[in-house]
Coordinates of all heavy atoms in Angstrom, one line a residue:
M59 N 168.7 64.0 25.4 CA 168.5 65.3 24.7 C 168.3 65.0 23.2 O 168.9 64.1 22.7 CB 169.7 66.1 25.0 CG 169.6 67.5 24.4 SD 170.9 68.6 24.7 CE 172.0 68.3 23.4
Y60 N 167.5 65.9 22.6 CA 167.3 65.8 21.2 C 167.2 67.2 20.6 O 166.9 68.1 21.3 CB 166.1 64.9 20.8 CG 164.8 65.5 21.3 CD1 164.0 66.2 20.5 CD2 164.4 65.2 22.6 CE1 162.8 66.7 21.0 CE2 163.2 65.6 23.1 CZ 162.4 66.4 22.3 OH 161.2 66.9 22.8
I61 N 167.4 67.3 19.3 CA 167.4 68.6 18.7 C 166.4 68.6 17.5 O 166.4 67.7 16.7 CB 168.8 69.0 18.1 CG1 169.8 69.2 19.3 CG2 168.7 70.4 17.4 CD1 171.2 69.4 18.9
V62 N 165.5 69.6 17.5 CA 164.5 69.7 16.4 C 164.6 71.1 15.9 O 164.4 72.1 16.7 CB 163.1 69.3 16.9 CG1 162.1 69.6 15.8 CG2 163.0 67.9 17.3
D63 N 164.8 71.3 14.6 CA 164.8 72.6 14.0 C 165.8 73.5 14.8 O 165.6 74.7 15.0 CB 163.5 73.3 14.0 CG 162.5 72.6 13.1 OD1 162.9 72.0 12.1 OD2 161.3 72.6 13.4
G64 N 167.0 73.0 15.2 CA 168.0 73.8 15.8 C 167.8 74.1 17.3 O 168.6 74.8 17.9
I65 N 166.7 73.6 17.8 CA 166.4 73.8 19.3 C 166.7 72.5 20.0 O 166.2 71.5 19.7 CB 165.0 74.3 19.4 CG1 164.7 75.6 18.7 CG2 164.6 74.4 20.9 CD1 163.3 76.0 18.6
A66 N 167.4 72.6 21.1 CA 167.8 71.5 22.0 C 166.7 71.3 23.0 O 166.3 72.3 23.7 CB 169.1 71.6 22.6
Y67 N 166.2 70.1 23.2 CA 165.2 69.8 24.2 C 165.7 68.7 25.1 O 166.5 67.8 24.7 CB 163.9 69.2 23.5 CG 163.2 70.2 22.6 CD1 163.6 70.3 21.3 CD2 162.2 71.0 23.1 CE1 162.9 71.2 20.4 CE2 161.6 71.9 22.3 CZ 161.9 72.0 21.0 OH 161.3 72.9 20.1
A68 N 165.3 68.8 26.4 CA 165.7 67.8 27.4 C 164.8 66.5 27.2 O 163.7 66.7 26.6 CB 165.6 68.3 28.8
G69 N 165.2 65.4 27.6 CA 164.4 64.2 27.5 C 164.6 63.5 26.3 O 165.6 63.6 25.6
Q70 N 163.6 62.7 25.9 CA 163.6 61.8 24.8 C 162.5 62.2 23.8 O 161.4 62.5 24.2 CB 163.4 60.4 25.3 CG 163.6 59.3 24.3 CD 163.4 57.9 25.0 OE1 163.2 57.9 26.2 NE2 163.5 56.9 24.2
L71 N 162.8 62.2 22.5 CA 161.8 62.5 21.5 C 160.7 61.4 21.4 O 161.0 60.3 21.3 CB 162.5 62.7 20.2 CG 161.5 63.0 19.0 CD1 160.8 64.3 19.2 CD2 162.3 63.1 17.7
I72 N 159.5 61.8 21.5 CA 158.4 60.9 21.3 C 157.6 61.5 20.1 O 157.0 62.5 20.2 CB 157.5 60.9 22.6 CG1 158.3 60.5 23.8 CG2 156.3 60.0 22.4 CD1 157.5 60.6 25.1
D73 N 157.7 60.7 19.0 CA 157.1 61.2 17.8 C 155.6 61.5 17.8 O 154.9 60.6 18.3 CB 157.4 60.2 16.6 CG 158.9 60.1 16.3 OD1 159.5 61.1 16.4 OD2 159.3 59.0 15.9
D74 N 155.3 62.7 17.4 CA 153.9 63.1 17.2 C 152.9 62.8 18.3 O 151.8 62.5 18.1 CB 153.4 62.4 15.9 CG 154.1 62.9 14.7 OD1 154.5 64.1 14.6 OD2 154.3 62.1 13.8
I75 N 153.4 62.8 19.5 CA 152.4 62.6 20.6 C 151.7 63.9 20.9 O 152.3 65.0 20.9 CB 153.2 62.1 21.9 CG1 152.2 61.5 22.9 CG2 154.0 63.2 22.5 CD1 152.8 60.6 23.9
K76 N 150.4 63.8 21.2 CA 149.6 65.0 21.4 C 148.6 64.6 22.6 O 148.4 63.5 22.9 CB 148.7 65.3 20.2 CG 149.6 65.8 19.1 CD 148.8 66.2 17.9 CE 149.8 66.6 16.8 NZ 149.2 67.0 15.6
I77 N 148.1 65.7 23.2 CA 147.1 65.5 24.2 C 145.7 65.5 23.5 O 145.4 66.3 22.8 CB 147.1 66.7 25.2 CG1 148.5 66.9 25.8 CG2 146.1 66.5 26.3 CD1 149.0 65.8 26.7
A78 N 145.0 64.4 23.8 CA 143.6 64.2 23.2 C 142.6 64.8 24.2 O 141.6 65.3 23.7 CB 143.4 62.8 23.0
S79 N 142.8 64.7 25.5 CA 141.8 65.2 26.5 C 142.5 65.5 27.8 O 143.6 64.9 28.1 CB 140.6 64.3 26.7 OG 141.0 63.1 27.3
V80 N 142.0 66.4 28.6 CA 142.5 66.7 29.9 C 141.4 66.9 30.8 O 140.4 67.5 30.5 CB 143.4 68.0 29.8 CG1 142.7 69.2 29.3 CG2 144.1 68.3 31.1
K81 N 141.6 66.4 32.1 CA 140.6 66.6 33.1 C 141.4 67.1 34.4 O 142.4 66.4 34.8 CB 139.9 65.3 33.5 CG 138.9 65.5 34.6 CD 138.1 64.3 34.9 CE 137.1 64.5 36.0 NZ 136.4 63.3 36.3
V82 N 141.0 68.2 34.9 CA 141.7 68.8 36.1 C 141.2 68.1 37.3 O 139.9 68.0 37.5 CB 141.5 70.3 36.2 CG1 142.0 70.9 37.5 CG2 142.1 71.0 35.0
L83 N 142.1 67.6 38.2 CA 141.7 67.0 39.4 C 142.1 67.9 40.6 O 142.6 69.0 40.4 CB 142.4 65.6 39.5 CG 142.2 64.7 38.3 CD1 143.1 63.5 38.4 CD2 140.7 64.3 38.2
D84 N 142.0 67.4 41.8 CA 142.4 68.2 43.0 C 144.0 68.2 43.0 O 144.7 67.4 42.5 CB 141.9 67.5 44.2 CG 140.4 67.6 44.4 OD1 139.8 68.5 43.8 OD2 139.8 66.7 45.1
D85 N 144.4 69.2 43.8 CA 145.9 69.4 44.1 C 146.8 69.5 42.9 O 147.8 68.9 42.9 CB 146.3 68.2 45.0 CG 145.6 68.2 46.4 OD1 145.3 69.3 46.9 OD2 145.3 67.1 46.9
M86 N 146.3 70.2 41.9 CA 147.0 70.4 40.6 C 147.4 69.1 39.9 O 148.3 69.1 39.1 CB 148.3 71.2 40.9 CG 148.0 72.6 41.3 SD 149.4 73.7 41.2 CE 149.5 74.0 39.5
M87 N 146.6 68.1 40.1 CA 146.8 66.9 39.3 C 145.9 66.9 38.1 O 144.8 67.6 38.1 CB 146.4 65.6 40.1 CG 147.3 65.4 41.3 SD 149.0 65.0 40.9 CE 148.8 63.4 40.1
M88 N 146.3 66.3 37.0 CA 145.6 66.3 35.8 C 145.5 64.8 35.2 O 146.5 64.1 35.3 CB 146.3 67.2 34.7 CG 146.5 68.6 35.2 SD 147.5 69.5 34.0 CE 146.2 70.2 33.0
L89 N 144.4 64.5 34.7 CA 144.3 63.2 34.0 C 144.4 63.5 32.5 O 143.5 64.2 32.0 CB 143.0 62.5 34.3 CG 142.7 61.2 33.6 CD1 143.8 60.2 33.9 CD2 141.4 60.6 34.0
L90 N 145.4 63.0 31.9 CA 145.6 63.3 30.5 C 145.4 62.0 29.6 O 145.7 60.9 30.0 CB 147.1 63.7 30.3 CG 147.6 64.8 31.1 CD1 149.1 65.0 30.9 CD2 146.9 66.1 30.6
E91 N 144.7 62.2 28.5 CA 144.6 61.2 27.5 C 145.5 61.6 26.3 O 145.4 62.7 25.8 CB 143.2 61.0 27.0 CG 143.1 59.9 25.9 CD 141.7 59.7 25.4 OE1 140.8 60.6 25.7 OE2 141.5 58.8 24.6
F92 N 146.4 60.7 26.0 CA 147.4 61.0 24.9 C 146.9 60.4 23.6 O 146.0 59.5 23.5 CB 148.8 60.5 25.2 CG 149.4 61.3 26.3 CD1 149.2 61.0 27.6 CD2 150.3 62.3 25.9 CE1 149.9 61.7 28.6 CE2 150.9 63.1 26.9 CZ 150.7 62.8 28.2
S93 N 147.4 60.9 22.5 CA 147.0 60.5 21.1 C 147.4 59.0 20.9 O 146.8 58.4 20.0 CB 147.7 61.3 20.1 OG 149.1 61.3 20.2
T94 N 148.2 58.4 21.8 CA 148.5 57.0 21.8 C 147.4 56.1 22.4 O 147.5 54.9 22.3 CB 149.8 56.7 22.6 OG1 149.5 57.1 24.0 CG2 151.0 57.5 22.0
G95 N 146.4 56.8 23.0 CA 145.3 56.1 23.7 C 145.6 55.9 25.1 O 144.8 55.4 25.9
E96 N 146.8 56.2 25.6 CA 147.2 56.0 27.0 C 146.6 57.1 27.9 O 146.5 58.3 27.4 CB 148.7 56.1 27.1 CG 149.5 55.0 26.5 CD 150.9 55.2 26.6 OE1 151.5 54.9 27.6 OE2 151.5 55.8 25.6
F97 N 146.2 56.8 29.1 CA 145.8 57.7 30.1 C 146.9 57.8 31.1 O 147.5 56.8 31.6 CB 144.5 57.3 30.8 CG 143.3 57.5 29.9 CD1 143.0 56.5 29.0 CD2 142.6 58.6 30.0 CE1 141.9 56.6 28.2 CE2 141.5 58.8 29.2 CZ 141.1 57.8 28.3
R98 N 147.3 59.0 31.5 CA 148.4 59.2 32.5 C 148.0 60.4 33.4 O 147.3 61.3 33.1 CB 149.7 59.5 31.7 CG 150.1 58.4 30.8 CD 151.4 58.7 30.0 NE 152.5 58.8 30.9 CZ 153.3 57.7 31.2 NH1 153.0 56.5 30.9 NH2 154.4 57.9 31.9
L99 N 148.5 60.3 34.7 CA 148.3 61.3 35.7 C 149.6 62.2 35.7 O 150.7 61.7 35.7 CB 148.2 60.7 37.1 CG 146.9 60.0 37.4 CD1 146.9 59.3 38.7 CD2 145.7 61.0 37.4
Y100 N 149.3 63.5 35.7 CA 150.4 64.5 35.7 C 150.2 65.4 36.9 O 149.1 66.0 37.1 CB 150.3 65.3 34.4 CG 151.4 66.3 34.2 CD1 152.6 66.0 33.9 CD2 151.1 67.7 34.5 CE1 153.6 66.9 33.8 CE2 152.1 68.6 34.3 CZ 153.3 68.2 34.0 OH 154.3 69.2 33.9
D101 N 151.3 65.6 37.6 CA 151.3 66.5 38.7 C 151.8 67.9 38.3 O 153.1 68.1 38.1 CB 152.2 66.0 39.9 CG 152.2 66.8 41.1 OD1 151.6 67.9 41.1 OD2 152.9 66.4 42.1
A102 N 151.0 68.8 38.0 CA 151.4 70.1 37.5 C 152.0 71.0 38.6 O 152.6 72.1 38.2 CB 150.2 70.8 36.9
S103 N 151.9 70.7 39.8 CA 152.6 71.5 40.9 C 154.1 71.6 40.7 O 154.7 72.6 41.1 CB 152.2 70.9 42.3 OG 152.9 69.7 42.5
Q104 N 154.7 70.7 40.0 CA 156.1 70.7 39.7 C 156.5 71.9 38.8 O 157.6 72.3 38.8 CB 156.6 69.4 39.1 CG 155.9 69.1 37.7 CD 156.2 67.7 37.2 OE1 157.4 67.3 37.3 NE2 155.2 67.1 36.6
L105 N 155.5 72.4 38.1 CA 155.7 73.5 37.2 C 155.9 74.9 37.9 O 156.5 75.8 37.4 CB 154.6 73.7 36.2 CG 154.3 72.5 35.3 CD1 153.0 72.8 34.5 CD2 155.5 72.3 34.3
L106 N 155.4 75.0 39.1 CA 155.3 76.2 39.8 C 156.7 76.8 40.2 O 156.8 78.0 40.5 CB 154.5 76.1 41.1 CG 153.0 75.8 40.8 CD1 152.2 75.7 42.1 CD2 152.4 76.8 39.9
V107 N 157.8 76.0 40.1 CA 159.1 76.5 40.4 C 159.6 77.3 39.3 O 160.6 78.1 39.5 CB 160.1 75.3 40.7 CG1 159.7 74.5 41.9 CG2 160.2 74.4 39.5
Q108 N 159.0 77.3 38.1 CA 159.4 78.1 37.0 C 158.5 79.3 36.9 O 157.3 79.2 36.9 CB 159.3 77.3 35.7 CG 160.2 76.0 35.7 CD 160.0 75.2 34.5 OE1 159.9 75.7 33.4 NE2 160.1 73.9 34.7
E109 N 159.1 80.5 36.7 CA 158.4 81.7 36.7 C 157.3 81.8 35.7 O 156.2 82.3 36.0 CB 159.4 82.9 36.4 CG 158.9 84.3 36.6 CD 158.5 84.5 38.1 OE1 159.2 84.0 39.0 OE2 157.5 85.2 38.3
A110 N 157.5 81.2 34.5 CA 156.4 81.3 33.5 C 155.1 80.6 33.9 O 154.1 80.9 33.4 CB 157.0 80.6 32.2
F111 N 155.2 79.6 34.8 CA 154.1 78.9 35.2 C 153.4 79.4 36.6 O 152.4 78.8 37.0 CB 154.4 77.4 35.4 CG 154.8 76.8 34.0 CD1 156.1 76.5 33.7 CD2 153.8 76.5 33.1 CE1 156.4 75.9 32.5 CE2 154.1 75.9 31.9 CZ 155.4 75.6 31.6
K112 N 154.0 80.4 37.2 CA 153.5 80.9 38.5 C 152.0 81.2 38.4 O 151.3 81.0 39.4 CB 154.3 82.1 38.9 CG 155.7 81.8 39.2 CD 155.9 81.4 40.6 CE 157.4 81.3 40.9 NZ 157.7 80.4 42.0
P113 N 151.4 81.8 37.3 CA 150.0 82.1 37.3 C 149.1 80.8 37.6 O 148.0 81.0 38.0 CB 149.8 82.6 35.9 CG 151.1 83.2 35.5 CD 152.1 82.3 36.1
L114 N 149.7 79.7 37.4 CA 148.9 78.4 37.5 C 148.6 78.1 39.0 O 147.8 77.3 39.3 CB 149.6 77.2 36.9 CG 149.8 77.4 35.4 CD1 150.4 76.1 34.8 CD2 148.5 77.7 34.6
A115 N 149.3 78.8 39.9 CA 149.0 78.6 41.3 C 147.6 79.1 41.7 O 147.0 78.7 42.7 CB 150.1 79.4 42.2
D116 N 147.0 80.0 40.9 CA 145.7 80.4 41.0 C 144.7 79.3 40.5 O 144.8 79.0 39.3 CB 145.4 81.7 40.2 CG 144.0 82.3 40.4 OD1 143.1 81.5 40.4 OD2 143.9 83.5 40.4
E117 N 143.9 78.8 41.4 CA 143.1 77.6 41.0 C 142.2 77.9 39.9 O 141.9 77.1 39.0 CB 142.3 77.2 42.3 CG 141.5 75.9 42.0 CD 140.8 75.5 43.3 OE1 141.2 75.8 44.4 OE2 139.7 74.8 43.1
K118 N 141.7 79.2 39.8 CA 140.8 79.5 38.7 C 141.5 79.5 37.4 O 140.9 79.0 36.4 CB 140.2 80.9 39.0 CG 139.2 81.3 38.0 CD 138.5 82.7 38.3 CE 137.4 82.9 37.5 NZ 137.1 83.8 36.6
I119 N 142.7 80.0 37.3 CA 143.5 80.0 36.1 C 143.8 78.5 35.7 O 143.7 78.1 34.6 CB 144.7 80.8 36.2 CG1 144.4 82.3 36.3 CG2 145.7 80.6 35.0 CD1 145.5 83.3 36.6
F120 N 144.3 77.8 36.7 CA 144.7 76.4 36.5 C 143.5 75.6 35.9 O 143.7 74.8 35.0 CB 145.2 75.7 37.7 CG 145.7 74.3 37.5 CD1 146.8 74.0 36.8 CD2 144.9 73.3 38.0 CE1 147.2 72.7 36.5 CE2 145.3 72.0 37.8 CZ 146.5 71.7 37.1
S121 N 142.4 75.8 36.4 CA 141.2 74.9 36.0 C 140.7 75.4 34.6 O 139.9 74.6 34.0 CB 140.1 74.9 37.1 OG 139.6 76.2 37.2
D122 N 141.1 76.5 34.2 CA 140.6 77.0 32.9 C 141.6 76.6 31.8 O 142.2 77.4 31.0 CB 140.5 78.5 32.9 CG 139.8 79.1 31.6 OD1 139.0 78.3 31.0 OD2 140.0 80.2 31.3
V123 N 141.8 75.3 31.7 CA 142.8 74.7 30.8 C 142.1 74.3 29.4 O 140.9 74.0 29.4 CB 143.4 73.4 31.4 CG1 142.4 72.3 31.6 CG2 144.5 72.9 30.6
T124 N 142.8 74.5 28.3 CA 142.3 74.1 27.0 C 143.4 73.3 26.3 O 144.5 73.2 26.7 CB 141.9 75.3 26.2 OG1 143.1 76.1 26.0 CG2 140.8 76.1 26.8
I125 N 143.0 72.7 25.2 CA 143.9 72.0 24.3 C 143.9 72.7 23.0 O 142.8 72.8 22.4 CB 143.5 70.5 24.2 CG1 143.5 69.8 25.5 CG2 144.5 69.8 23.2 CD1 142.9 68.4 25.5
E126 N 145.0 73.1 22.5 CA 145.2 73.7 21.2 C 146.2 72.9 20.4 O 147.4 72.8 20.8 CB 145.7 75.2 21.4 CG 144.7 76.1 22.1 CD 145.1 77.5 22.2 OE1 146.0 77.9 21.4 OE2 144.6 78.2 23.1
H127 N 145.7 72.3 19.3 CA 146.6 71.6 18.4 C 147.3 70.5 19.2 O 148.5 70.2 18.9 CB 147.5 72.5 17.7 CG 146.9 73.6 17.0 ND1 146.1 73.4 15.9 CD2 146.8 74.9 17.2 CE1 145.6 74.6 15.5 NE2 146.0 75.5 16.3
G128 N 146.7 69.8 20.2 CA 147.3 68.7 20.9 C 148.2 69.2 22.1 O 148.9 68.3 22.6
V129 N 148.2 70.5 22.4 CA 149.0 71.0 23.5 C 148.1 71.6 24.6 O 147.2 72.3 24.3 CB 150.0 72.1 22.9 CG1 150.8 72.7 24.0 CG2 150.8 71.5 21.8
V130 N 148.4 71.3 25.8 CA 147.7 71.9 26.9 C 148.1 73.3 27.1 O 149.3 73.7 27.1 CB 148.0 71.1 28.2 CG1 147.5 71.8 29.5 CG2 147.5 69.7 28.2
T131 N 147.1 74.2 27.2 CA 147.4 75.7 27.3 C 146.5 76.3 28.4 O 145.4 75.8 28.7 CB 147.2 76.4 26.0 OG1 145.8 76.4 25.7 CG2 147.9 75.8 24.8
W132 N 146.9 77.4 28.8 CA 146.2 78.3 29.7 C 146.3 79.7 29.3 O 147.2 80.1 28.5 CB 146.7 78.2 31.2 CG 146.6 76.9 31.8 CD1 145.6 76.4 32.6 CD2 147.6 75.8 31.8 NE1 145.9 75.2 33.1 CE2 147.1 74.8 32.6 CE3 148.9 75.7 31.2 CZ2 147.8 73.6 32.8 CZ3 149.5 74.5 31.4 CH2 149.0 73.5 32.2
C133 N 145.4 80.6 29.8 CA 145.5 82.0 29.5 C 145.5 82.3 28.0 O 146.4 83.1 27.5 CB 146.7 82.6 30.2 SG 146.7 82.4 32.0
D134 N 144.6 81.8 27.3 CA 144.4 82.0 25.9 C 145.7 81.7 25.1 O 146.1 82.4 24.2 CB 144.0 83.5 25.6 CG 142.6 83.8 26.1 OD1 141.8 82.9 26.0 OD2 142.4 84.9 26.6
G135 N 146.4 80.6 25.5 CA 147.6 80.2 24.8 C 148.9 80.8 25.3 O 150.0 80.5 24.8
E136 N 148.8 81.7 26.2 CA 150.0 82.4 26.7 C 150.9 81.5 27.5 O 152.1 81.7 27.6 CB 149.6 83.6 27.6 CG 148.8 84.6 26.9 CD 149.5 85.9 26.7 OE1 150.5 86.2 27.4 OE2 149.0 86.7 25.9
I137 N 150.3 80.5 28.2 CA 151.1 79.5 28.9 C 150.8 78.1 28.3 O 149.6 77.8 28.1 CB 150.7 79.5 30.4 CG1 150.9 80.8 31.0 CG2 151.4 78.4 31.2 CD1 150.3 80.9 32.4
D138 N 151.8 77.4 28.0 CA 151.6 76.0 27.5 C 152.8 75.1 27.9 O 153.8 75.6 28.4 CB 151.5 76.0 25.9 CG 152.7 76.5 25.2 OD1 153.9 76.2 25.7 OD2 152.6 77.1 24.2
I139 N 152.6 73.8 27.7 CA 153.6 72.9 28.0 C 153.6 71.8 27.0 O 152.5 71.3 26.6 CB 153.4 72.3 29.5 CG1 154.6 71.3 29.8 CG2 152.1 71.7 29.7 CD1 154.7 71.0 31.2
A140 N 154.7 71.4 26.5 CA 154.9 70.4 25.5 C 154.3 69.0 25.9 O 154.5 68.6 27.0 CB 156.3 70.2 25.1
P141 N 153.5 68.4 25.0 CA 153.0 67.1 25.4 C 154.1 66.1 25.7 O 153.9 65.2 26.5 CB 152.1 66.7 24.1 CG 152.3 67.7 23.1 CD 153.1 68.9 23.7
E142 N 155.2 66.2 25.0 CA 156.3 65.3 25.3 C 156.8 65.4 26.8 O 157.0 64.4 27.4 CB 157.5 65.5 24.4 CG 157.2 65.4 22.9 CD 156.7 66.6 22.3 OE1 156.4 67.7 23.0 OE2 156.5 66.6 21.0
S143 N 156.8 66.6 27.3 CA 157.2 66.8 28.6 C 156.2 66.3 29.6 O 156.5 65.6 30.6 CB 157.4 68.3 28.9 OG 157.7 68.6 30.2
M144 N 154.9 66.5 29.3 CA 153.9 66.0 30.1 C 153.9 64.4 30.2 O 153.7 63.8 31.2 CB 152.5 66.5 29.7 CG 152.4 68.0 29.8 SD 150.7 68.6 29.4 CE 150.0 68.6 31.1
Y145 N 154.2 63.8 29.0 CA 154.2 62.4 28.9 C 155.4 61.8 29.8 O 155.2 60.9 30.6 CB 154.4 61.9 27.5 CG 154.3 60.4 27.4 CD1 153.1 59.8 27.2 CD2 155.4 59.6 27.5 CE1 153.0 58.4 27.1 CE2 155.3 58.2 27.4 CZ 154.1 57.6 27.2 OH 154.0 56.3 27.1
M146 N 156.5 62.4 29.6 CA 157.7 61.9 30.3 C 157.6 62.1 31.8 O 158.3 61.4 32.6 CB 159.0 62.6 29.8 CG 159.3 62.3 28.3 SD 159.6 60.6 28.0 CE 161.2 60.4 28.8
N147 N 156.9 63.1 32.3 CA 156.8 63.4 33.7 C 155.4 63.0 34.3 O 155.0 63.6 35.3 CB 157.0 64.9 33.9 CG 158.4 65.3 33.6 OD1 159.4 64.8 34.2 ND2 158.6 66.0 32.5
S148 N 154.8 62.1 33.7 CA 153.5 61.6 34.2 C 153.5 60.1 34.5 O 154.5 59.4 34.2 CB 152.4 61.9 33.2 OG 152.6 61.2 32.0
Y149 N 152.4 59.6 35.1 CA 152.4 58.2 35.5 C 151.2 57.5 34.8 O 150.1 58.1 34.7 CB 152.2 58.2 37.0 CG 153.2 58.9 37.8 CD1 153.0 60.3 38.1 CD2 154.5 58.4 38.1 CE1 154.0 61.0 38.8 CE2 155.5 59.1 38.7 CZ 155.2 60.4 39.1 OH 156.2 61.1 39.7
C150 N 151.4 56.3 34.5 CA 150.4 55.5 33.8 C 149.2 55.4 34.7 O 149.3 55.3 36.0 CB 151.0 54.1 33.6 SG 149.8 53.0 32.7
Y151 N 148.0 55.5 34.1 CA 146.8 55.4 34.8 C 145.9 54.4 34.1 O 145.6 54.5 32.9 CB 146.1 56.8 34.8 CG 144.7 56.9 35.5 CD1 144.6 56.9 36.8 CD2 143.6 56.8 34.7 CE1 143.4 56.9 37.5 CE2 142.3 56.9 35.3 CZ 142.2 56.9 36.7 OH 141.0 57.0 37.3
Q152 N 145.4 53.4 34.9 CA 144.5 52.4 34.4 C 143.1 52.8 34.6 O 142.7 53.0 35.8 CB 144.7 51.1 35.0 CG 146.1 50.5 34.7 CD 146.1 50.1 33.2 OE1 146.4 50.9 32.3 NE2 145.9 48.8 32.9
R153 N 142.3 53.1 33.6 CA 140.9 53.5 33.8 C 140.1 52.3 34.1 O 140.2 51.2 33.5 CB 140.4 54.1 32.5 CG 140.9 55.5 32.3 CD 140.3 56.2 31.1 NE 138.9 56.2 31.3 CZ 138.0 56.9 30.6 NH1 138.5 57.8 29.7 NH2 136.7 56.9 30.8
I154 N 139.2 52.4 35.0 CA 138.3 51.4 35.4 C 136.9 51.8 34.9 O 136.4 52.8 35.3 CB 138.2 51.1 36.9 CG1 139.6 50.7 37.4 CG2 137.2 50.1 37.2 CD1 139.8 50.6 38.8
T155 N 136.3 51.1 34.0 CA 135.0 51.4 33.4 C 133.9 50.7 34.0 O 134.0 49.7 34.6 CB 135.0 51.2 31.9 OG1 135.4 49.9 31.6 CG2 136.0 52.2 31.2

């Protein structure tokens, strides 16, 4: 756990990590490129247990993802998820070029 500006967050602080690019895959999987240059796979289906993320069950909404200031967002910024959380809950992906 860590605290920033009086707000407690779960997990471990990863300084200045941002999402550089995102590609939506099948079954609510996402290929993320982080500002560190790392590529990681993220399973967004784990978010659906939380009420705030229920709209993402709609494939059209889920696939309409954007990046705003290094943060993955949906619904014109109404839904977002911290890049630190995405990093901690994703898996290393080796790109084959």
